[in-house]
Amino acid sequence: MIILKTKEEIEKMRIVNKMVGEILNILKNEVKPGITTEHLDKLAVEEAKKRHSRCAFKGYGGFPKSLCTSVNEEVVHGVPSKKKVLKKGDIVSLDFGLIYEGWYGDSAITVAVGEIDSEKKKLMDVTRKALYLGIEQARPGNYLYDISDAIQTYVERNGFSVVRDYVGHGIGRYLHEDPPVPNYVPSKTDRGPLLKVGMTIAIEPMINSGTWRVRVKKDKWTVVAADGKPSAHFEHTIAITESDPIILSEVN
Ligand code: MG
Ligand code: MG
């Protein structure tokens, strides 16, 4: 069941999502060769505390940390570790969620560690642009898979592939609500649910430079590209309104 939110509820979601965006900005500035992913996790926890908010991923389904850090071929759900040291030329995706006054925020960015090669740069640029092209379709009267189609078409035209096994989601008083938001069109005949004012969704393309196929590592969390090639991930929580969608987790 898709839960529509009132304007007041969307304002509450804006508060928590803005915090997520601010913290991701802080983490982004901290990324450099030689730091560990554990350090980023600790910093995220400290910043959440300062804002009197709770980390949404800690313990979610048993996830051991507060931040997901996925390096290079890791797609999503990478577990921060003091053994994982970032090197020049890596890309790291940072996925973070908070709860504040009962409302969830969720957003992700992929960050370059020092200088990166042109293929990784293109992968990051295409993934970020695909997210915004998807958001552009989030309007009443459109259908959910219009978002998926915009993302998939742009990604595949650029020679990359869309992960199928993990998708975006509705969000609000729960981290994961209906509807699932795929980044590819799952049906040739169905356009998905009609988009309505008051829907709040997390759109999150996970884009691979090789195959879209993924597997889960032995740690039972880290999802990696099956061919070991780099992957990028960007996510925003947005609200559908009568006019343009509001990007709740965007901070300027
Ligand atoms: Mg997320
Ligand atoms: Mg999400």
Side-chain angles (χ1 to χ4, degrees), residues 3-249:
I3 305 164
L4 300 179
K5 280 78 176 181
T6 64
K7 276 199 173 119
E8 293 71 31
E9 290 171 330
I10 289 170
E11 280 313 306
K12 288 183 178 157
M13 287 185 67
R14 197 203 281 267
I15 295 168
V16 62
N17 276 284
K18 196 166 162 254
M19 290 180 186
V20 173
E22 283 168 5
I23 294 174
L24 283 174
N25 266 346
I26 291 168
L27 299 178
K28 180 182 178 178
N29 289 327
E30 196 70 12
V31 168
K32 50 178 102 52
I35 67 148
T36 66
T37 52
E38 169 105 352
H39 169 72
L40 295 171
D41 182 75
K42 284 216 171 90
L43 185 56
V45 171
E46 277 170 29
E47 292 296 328
K49 261 192 204 137
K50 279 188 202 165
R51 291 164 177 79
H52 311 286
S53 57
R54 218 150 40 82
C55 294
F57 302 166
K58 177 88 184 206
Y60 189 89
F63 191 73
K65 297 286 184 174
S66 298
L67 177 72
C68 295
T69 52
S70 308
V71 181
N72 296 333
E73 77 283 3
E74 296 174 354
V75 178
V76 283
H77 305 163
V79 183
S81 157
K82 47 182 183 253
K83 288 187 203 142
K84 191 90 178 183
V85 181
L86 297 177
K87 311 182 301 295
K88 183 182 154 201
D90 286 344
I91 55 174
V92 57
S93 96
L94 308 173
D95 189 352
F96 191 53
L98 286 174
I99 317 167
Y100 183 74
E101 294 186 346
W103 295 94
Y104 279 86
D106 188 7
S107 182
I109 53 174
T110 299
V111 184
V113 185
E115 224 172 277
I116 57 171
D117 67 35
S118 58
E119 182 71 4
K120 280 178 174 164
K121 175 82 169 58
K122 183 182 171 196
L123 176 67
M124 280 176 54
D125 290 346
V126 166
T127 307
R128 189 191 301 104
K129 177 84 187 289
L131 168 60
Y132 281 89
L133 290 171
I135 292 171
E136 185 56 35
Q137 296 300 317
R139 295 169 183 281
N142 274 359
Y143 290 84
L144 186 72
Y145 300 160
D146 293 334
I147 297 173
S148 317
D149 188 34
I151 293 170
Q152 182 176 21
T153 301
Y154 181 71
V155 165
E156 291 180 353
R157 197 197 302 143
N158 279 282
F160 298 132
S161 71
V162 176
V163 170
R164 310 291 202 256
D165 299 18
Y166 299 85
V167 298
H169 48 93
I171 178 168
R173 287 197 175 276
Y174 302 91
L175 179 58
H176 295 123
E177 296 183 355
D178 280 338
V181 181
N183 301 295
Y184 65 99
V185 180
S187 161
K188 282 202 168 74
T189 50
D190 177 16
R191 295 178 71 193
L194 180 65
L195 299 180
K196 292 183 181 158
V197 173
M199 284 176 66
T200 48
I201 55 177
I203 304 176
E204 51 177 314
M206 288 149 261
I207 305 305
N208 290 354
S209 46
T211 177
W212 57 264
R213 291 183 190 279
V214 297
R215 64 179 179 83
V216 181
K217 279 170 98 167
K218 276 198 213 108
D219 66 9
K220 296 205 166 68
W221 281 109
T222 313
V223 178
V224 293
D227 59 7
K229 291 189 176 169
S231 181
H233 180 207
F234 284 87
E235 173 179 27
H236 273 310
T237 294
I238 65 119
I240 297 176
T241 74
E242 296 85 355
S243 56
D244 290 340
I246 305 172
I247 306 177
L248 298 169
S249 50

